[in-house]
């Protein structure tokens, strides 16, 4: 079987790629591997694309594993081959080809999504065991409907897989309190680059556990995660308030995220929007939470600049809570925030509806074609030290006309991130900001093109480098080992050692372009 695989792979050399006839025979590998799942080398289209829409590639085969054993067998086969690579694909929501394998094997982890779902109670804590290929959306629905439980830390959009976000960090408006998703996991099952299925946690195989969390898929393929859960609220009061000055916005946001639990909101995010009615993607119309709510521009101070700031918060409550109790808690917090008078929008929605809020965006964007168009997104963590300068130049000048989609900016706390994981953060200070420039390439006049957004992103990163800002790319993408060394900084040697230990031939996640496949001497 190994010899059979070897025939196909010659250092990503396009002339030695399999012919169509050869590809037709590839499903025979399935028999040699004794997989319960499928191998397809004809209909591989899904595996060669991602949400970013900026890169495409041609994998050798798309594998739909049925079990962790299948995942292990495929990786082991690659390990025994001279130069096969394997990319686990979550839901392909990467931007820059991170879940691709040019000329290699792509494993569609969604096919394993139903393998695990079990609520586990241990030492007074409650967890849910879920598959690495499960969508967070499905985890939410099952946890809430069957157990009235829910994970504590989320992403804004839940059409992402457990293994995919745990390989990055998983950040949303709850992370200020509970840390990112990578800090809300007690145990993983991981298939290493040698094809070994290993259970790991803080005490057992801890290097693999912490390495895999935020490890960009470099150390293993997550087949099961034990996620911390808590009792789910019924309802959420979802609120947006508007600021003219960045300084006021950051002061209030930082005040909220540093308050003790029970004395703040349960969710804190923020975004920048263009001070204009004309821009449907970035202007005033993007702020109200309900079609009945109007944005009254007469409230905006004359001193306001090209962009405004919106603080987005939410408070959880139960249906049995008296409305006056909820009003009192909300008003007491809002009373401490110096936003523009009457620039407040709020709605009450169910907890599940709140967490699935971006699904509505997906539905309308799918309908108008922008969900499938390119998304040249840029995500960064910028230290509090530099965020005001970032605002002054990037938001107020470079992005004064928006990016054709949300521009998120909100504070996070370093102390909620476990430094043993592989995630790279800015070097100094307790507070840093998530900045997410989520441009959609829109089908209307003057909307920015993908090329323009890509070069604008480069300009922004270069500006931060030139100014010596303390920042890291989130969902990073670089082309050379040198750039990756710089990204990880003092963490590079640990990252490199973990790679040598858990994926010595650099088989896994080749789309991240961190390590080159090493030749096997087996
Ligand atoms: P993929 O893109 O398929 O894979 C990402 C990487 O993880 C690849 O290197 C892949 O090889 C590896 N991988 C995938 N599955 C596994 C596995 N089981 N084991 C090991 N490695 C694996 N991120 C946030 O933090 N917060 C947000 O609010 C947020 N919102 C988003 C909204 C949208 C609309 C989109 C498109 C993305 C958003 N993201 C957000 C980014 C998201 O976290 C990343 O795209 C992430 O990669 C998850 O996507 P995925 O599950 O599709 O993984």
């Amino acid at each position: 079987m190994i010899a059979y695989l070897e025939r196909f792979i010659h250092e990503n050399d396009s002339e030695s790629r399999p012919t169509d006839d050869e590809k037709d025979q590839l499903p025979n590998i399935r028999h040699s591997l004794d997989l319960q799942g499928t191998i397809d080398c004809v209909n591989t289209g899904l595996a060669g694309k991602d949400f970013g829409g900026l890169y495409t590639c041609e994998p050798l085969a798309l594998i739909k594993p049925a079990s962790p054993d299948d995942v292990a067998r495929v990786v082991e086969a690659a390990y025994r081959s001279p130069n096969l690579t394997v990319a686990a694909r979550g839901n392909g929501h990467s931007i820059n080809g991170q879940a691709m394998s040019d000329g290699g094997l792509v494993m569609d982890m969604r096919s394993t999504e139903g393998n695990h779902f079990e609520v586990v109670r241990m030492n007074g804590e409650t967890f849910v065991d879920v598959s690495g290929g499960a969508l967070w959306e499905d985890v939410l629905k099952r946890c809430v409907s069957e157990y009235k439980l829910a994970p504590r830390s989320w992403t804004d959009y839940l059409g992402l897989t457990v293994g995919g976000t745990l390989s990055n960090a998983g950040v949303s408006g709850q992370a200020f309190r509970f840390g990112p998703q990578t800090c809300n996991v007690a145990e993983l099952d991981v298939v290493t680059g040698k094809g070994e299925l290993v259970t790991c946690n803080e005490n057992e195989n801890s290097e693999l556990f912490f390495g895999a969390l935020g490890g960009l898929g470099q150390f293993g393929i997550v087949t099961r995660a034990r996620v911390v859960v808590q009792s789910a609220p019924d309802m959420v009061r979802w609120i947006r308030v508007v600021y003219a000055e960045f300084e006021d916005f950051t002061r209030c946001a930082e005040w909220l995220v540093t308050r003790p639990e029970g004395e703040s909101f349960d969710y804190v995010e923020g975004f920048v929007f263009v001070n204009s009615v004309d821009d449907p993607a970035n202007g005033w119309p993007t702020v109200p939470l309900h079609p009945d709510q109007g944005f009254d521009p007469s409230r905006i101070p004359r001193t306001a600049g090209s962009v405004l700031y919106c603080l987005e918060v939410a408070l959880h409550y139960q249906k049995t809570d008296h409305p006056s109790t909820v009003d009192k808690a909300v008003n007491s917090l809002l009373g401490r925030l110096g936003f523009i008078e009457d620039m407040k929008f709020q709605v009450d929605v169910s907890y599940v509806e709140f967490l699935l809020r971006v699904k509505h965006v997906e539905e309308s964007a799918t309908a108008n074609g922008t969900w499938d168009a390119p998304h040249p997104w840029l995500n960064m963590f910028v230290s509090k030290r530099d965020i005001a300068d970032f605002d002054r130049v990037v938001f107020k000048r470079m992005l004064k006309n928006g990016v054709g989609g949300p521009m998120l900016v909100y504070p996070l706390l370093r102390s909620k991130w476990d430094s043993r994981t592989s995630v790279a953060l800015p070097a100094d200070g307790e507070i840093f900001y998530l900045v997410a420039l989520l441009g959609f390439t829109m089908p209307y006049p003057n909307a920015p093109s993908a090329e323009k957004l890509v070069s604008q992103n480069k300009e922004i990163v270069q500006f931060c480098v030139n100014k010596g800002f303390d920042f890291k790319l989130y969902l990073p993408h670089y082309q050379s080992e040198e750039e990756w060394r710089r990204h990880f900084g003092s963490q590079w040697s640990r990252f490199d050692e973990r790679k040598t230990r858990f994926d010595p031939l650099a088989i896994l996640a080749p789309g991240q372009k961190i390590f080159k496949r090493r030749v096997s001497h087996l």
Side-chain angles (χ1 to χ4, degrees):
M1 188 279 300
I2 301 303
Y4 192 86
L5 283 174
E6 284 169 1
R7 278 180 50 216
F8 293 108
I9 315 299
H10 301 283
E11 299 267 1
N12 290 343
D13 167 0
S14 57
E15 285 180 11
S16 61
R17 288 261 171 81
T19 64
D20 285 348
D21 280 352
E22 284 172 325
K23 280 186 171 186
D24 286 345
Q25 296 170 40
L26 201 62
N28 295 337
I29 294 174
R30 183 185 161 199
H31 300 297
S32 356
L33 281 169
D34 197 19
L35 295 185
Q36 292 167 281
T38 62
I39 296 186
D40 191 336
C41 66
V42 180
N43 302 305
T44 57
L46 171 83
K49 296 186 212 152
D50 64 16
F51 183 80
L54 304 169
Y55 295 84
T56 53
C57 78
E58 202 186 326
L60 177 66
L62 174 62
I63 297 172
K64 290 184 187 280
S67 63
D69 268 359
D70 273 5
V71 175
R73 277 165 209 246
V74 170
V75 177
E76 204 203 336
Y79 183 65
R80 298 197 175 284
S81 79
N83 43 20
L84 262 180
T85 58
V86 180
R89 185 180 199 272
N91 207 21
H93 277 54
S94 291
I95 299 301
N96 295 286
Q98 288 96 330
M100 295 182 192
S101 171
D102 198 8
L105 307 175
V106 174
M107 199 121 50
D108 179 4
M109 296 304 290
R110 292 286 309 281
S111 62
T112 65
E113 62 193 353
N115 284 356
H116 299 280
F117 188 89
E118 190 185 352
V119 168
V120 179
R121 296 182 208 272
M122 248 174 30
N123 309 328
E125 276 198 273
T126 311
F127 306 90
V128 63
D129 278 6
V130 292
S131 298
L135 290 185
W136 284 107
E137 176 179 339
D138 297 329
V139 173
L140 169 72
K141 287 178 183 162
R142 267 194 90 173
C143 281
V144 172
S145 67
E146 293 176 28
Y147 299 94
K148 207 169 182 293
L149 293 170
R152 310 185 299 187
S153 187
W154 293 100
T155 47
D156 294 344
Y157 168 69
L158 306 190
L160 310 169
T161 64
V162 170
T165 68
L166 292 182
S167 298
N168 286 293
V171 188
S172 184
Q174 306 83 11
F176 78 89
R177 175 158 304 143
F178 298 115
Q181 292 180 317
T182 40
C183 294
N184 287 275
V185 175
E187 188 168 279
L188 299 173
D189 283 347
V190 173
V191 173
T192 69
K194 296 178 192 168
E196 294 160 346
L197 178 58
V198 180
T199 297
C200 55
N201 55 44
E202 194 173 1
N203 304 312
E204 200 186 334
N205 300 309
S206 59
E207 269 302 298
L208 180 59
F209 178 67
F210 290 116
L213 294 168
L216 307 173
Q218 294 304 304
F219 312 114
I221 299 180
V222 175
T223 57
R224 177 187 62 95
R226 177 163 291 174
V227 178
V228 183
V229 289
Q230 64 181 9
S231 169
D234 298 320
M235 299 294 293
V236 164
R237 179 155 304 169
W238 179 13
I239 305 155
R240 287 178 177 171
V241 292
V242 174
Y243 292 81
E245 302 300 332
F246 191 64
E247 201 190 340
D248 297 336
F249 164 79
T250 52
R251 193 182 51 251
C252 292
E254 289 178 17
W255 181 75
L256 286 172
V257 301
T258 49
R259 304 274 296 160
E261 189 167 357
E263 295 179 30
S264 186
F265 287 106
D266 296 298
Y267 162 101
V268 178
E269 285 202 7
F271 61 90
V272 182
F273 64 102
V274 177
N275 189 4
S276 153
V277 69
D278 293 329
D279 185 340
N282 277 125
W284 301 340
T286 55
V287 180
L289 286 165
H290 192 274
D292 292 346
Q293 297 169 345
F295 187 98
D296 178 2
S298 70
R299 299 272 165 203
I300 302 170
R302 282 209 213 101
T303 50
S306 53
V307 294
L308 300 169
Y309 309 92
C310 179
L311 184 60
E312 181 175 76
V313 294
L315 191 80
H316 297 169
Y317 64 94
Q318 302 296 353
K319 278 183 184 152
T320 48
D321 290 337
H322 197 277
S324 66
T325 317
V326 181
D327 291 347
K328 199 170 153 207
V330 167
N331 292 337
S332 135
L333 285 168
L334 289 182
R336 301 287 300 269
L337 307 181
F339 54 92
I340 303 175
E341 213 182 323
D342 289 337
M343 274 283 176
K344 180 182 91 172
F345 306 88
Q346 69 177 41
V347 287
D348 290 273
V349 291
S350 77
Y351 177 64
V352 170
E353 210 179 317
F354 174 71
L355 289 176
L356 293 179
R357 62 199 180 278
V358 180
K359 198 161 177 76
H360 302 300
V361 178
E362 177 180 2
E363 281 158 7
S364 50
T366 302
N368 70 24
T370 54
W371 196 257
D372 298 320
H375 302 95
W377 290 5
L378 176 65
N379 288 271
M380 311 168 81
F381 295 133
V382 180
S383 150
K384 169 181 160 73
R385 186 194 78 186
D386 297 314
I387 198 68
D389 285 340
F390 185 95
D391 167 66
R392 198 169 39 77
V393 177
V394 179
F395 288 134
K396 286 196 173 75
R397 289 193 220 148
M398 294 165 89
L399 303 181
K400 65 178 188 299
N401 297 320
V403 295
M407 298 188 287
L408 308 185
V409 56
Y410 58 89
L412 295 163
L413 305 178
R414 177 190 303 275
S415 52
K416 303 287 179 179
W417 295 60
D418 192 326
S419 61
R420 294 171 293 181
T421 68
S422 296
V423 185
L425 297 181
D428 293 317
E430 166 66 349
I431 296 180
F432 61 94
Y433 278 75
L434 175 109
V435 172
L437 307 176
L438 311 178
F440 281 66
T441 40
M442 302 269 184
Y444 59 76
N446 304 328
S449 67
E451 294 72 26
K452 174 162 183 258
L453 289 172
V454 168
S455 74
Q456 192 173 58
N457 290 343
K458 283 190 186 146
E459 219 180 298
I460 292 166
V461 173
Q462 198 51 52
F463 165 75
C464 294
V465 171
N466 294 347
K467 286 285 171 190
F469 283 0
D470 182 14
F471 79 101
K472 293 287 176 202
L473 289 191
Y474 174 49
L475 310 167
H477 61 99
Y478 293 108
Q479 302 295 328
S480 68
E481 188 175 309
E482 194 43 45
E483 289 172 302
W484 281 108
R485 276 174 187 267
R486 218 174 301 135
H487 172 76
F488 283 107
S490 59
Q491 282 171 238
W492 171 257
S493 56
R494 183 180 70 179
F495 197 84
D496 192 36
E497 278 161 29
R498 284 173 171 170
K499 186 69 174 176
T500 306
R501 189 162 160 199
F502 301 116
D503 182 20
L505 300 183
I507 284 162
L508 301 174
Q512 299 278 6
K513 298 193 170 63
I514 306 176
F515 298 98
K516 285 210 167 64
R517 173 68 159 96
R518 291 169 200 144
V519 176
S520 166
H521 298 294
L522 292 173

